[in-house]
Amino acid sequence: MFIKERNFSMKLNLGHIKIPFIDDATSDELFRDGRIFGLIAENIVSGFFNLDKVYGCEDHDLENGSFKYEVKCLTKQGLKTCPSYMVGKGRKYDKEEHQKYLESKDGMFIVDITSFPVLTIYYVKDMDKLLFASKSYKGAKELLNELTDEIS
């Protein structure tokens, strides 16, 4: 099913994920946090698009032969497309390094987790469009909707 020739978006409804001793509303809210859902998103995208998950690699999350892909989460705080080592207190954003990071990828999957358990998965192959340190939720959503066509 994976289409790497063009940008696209699609919706995926996971349903409520049951966690013992945690009600559905709390569980859904927890999964809307990118720090919690990021690794899960990588595995969902890997399985759904039949891509190989790369463990312990700081360069990329998924691959298909020589093609390298990154997975990021869009949260209510927005979207950061730079490497994680540039995000957080005391860390420094470097635009030149960010550009090299993006150029080394063949595409990026961006998973909008703000409406969990319904996810919107965006695939962007035009990596030059993602060269920004951070965008608000609204700004990121507008850009992604502009760059992608919805598929079903």
Side-chain angles (χ1 to χ4, degrees), residues 72 80-93 133:
K72 298 286 186 184
K80 293 176 177 62
T81 62
C82 58
S84 57
Y85 64 81
M86 293 184 190
V87 178
K89 186 176 180 180
R91 297 182 183 185
K92 184 179 157 203
Y93 175 73

Side-chain angles (χ1 to χ4, degrees), residues 75-129:
T75 69
K76 63 185 176 188
Q77 282 78 35
L79 175 65
K80 293 176 177 62
T81 62
C82 58
S84 57
Y85 64 81
M86 293 184 190
V87 178
K89 186 176 180 180
R91 297 182 183 185
K92 184 179 157 203
Y93 175 73
D94 181 324
K95 187 173 183 176
E96 202 171 287
E97 282 295 312
H98 185 190
Q99 186 166 4
K100 288 179 193 173
Y101 167 82
L102 291 174
E103 288 171 353
S104 73
K105 311 292 178 285
D106 295 291
M108 184 177 291
F109 290 91
I110 299 165
V111 182
D112 182 345
I113 60 175
T114 59
S115 297
F116 188 89
V118 177
L119 306 175
T120 302
I121 301 173
Y122 297 91
Y123 173 70
V124 179
K125 69 180 238 63
D126 304 326
M127 299 300 279
D128 59 316
K129 307 281 192 217

Side-chain angles (χ1 to χ4, degrees), residues 8-149:
F8 66 86
S9 69
M10 59 176 290
K11 293 206 181 302
L12 181 63
N13 190 340
L14 297 181
H16 295 289
I17 296 177
K18 300 288 185 191
I19 301 174
F21 312 110
I22 300 177
D23 61 79
D24 286 348
T26 303
S27 173
D28 289 352
E29 193 59 37
L30 287 169
F31 287 128
R32 290 183 188 122
D33 184 327
R35 297 167 297 178
I36 293 171
F37 199 74
L39 293 172
I40 298 168
E42 291 172 13
N43 283 281
I44 289 170
V45 170
S46 170
F48 193 82
F49 294 102
N50 197 26
L51 298 169
D52 296 323
K53 172 78 177 96
V54 181
Y55 294 94
C57 179
E58 295 182 12
D59 178 57
H60 59 284
D61 298 319
L62 308 172
E63 60 189 22
N64 185 7
S66 64
F67 293 96
K68 297 177 181 179
Y69 305 98
E70 191 68 19
V71 179
K72 298 286 186 184
C73 289
L74 172 60
T75 69
K76 63 185 176 188
Q77 282 78 35
L79 175 65
K80 293 176 177 62
T81 62
C82 58
S84 57
Y85 64 81
M86 293 184 190
V87 178
K89 186 176 180 180
R91 297 182 183 185
K92 184 179 157 203
Y93 175 73
D94 181 324
K95 187 173 183 176
E96 202 171 287
E97 282 295 312
H98 185 190
Q99 186 166 4
K100 288 179 193 173
Y101 167 82
L102 291 174
E103 288 171 353
S104 73
K105 311 292 178 285
D106 295 291
M108 184 177 291
F109 290 91
I110 299 165
V111 182
D112 182 345
I113 60 175
T114 59
S115 297
F116 188 89
V118 177
L119 306 175
T120 302
I121 301 173
Y122 297 91
Y123 173 70
V124 179
K125 69 180 238 63
D126 304 326
M127 299 300 279
D128 59 316
K129 307 281 192 217
L130 300 175
L131 184 60
F132 51 83
S134 178
K135 276 204 183 291
S136 68
Y137 174 78
K138 182 180 179 192
K141 195 78 170 169
E142 286 173 359
L143 175 67
L144 293 170
N145 286 333
E146 181 182 303
L147 291 176
T148 60
D149 297 317

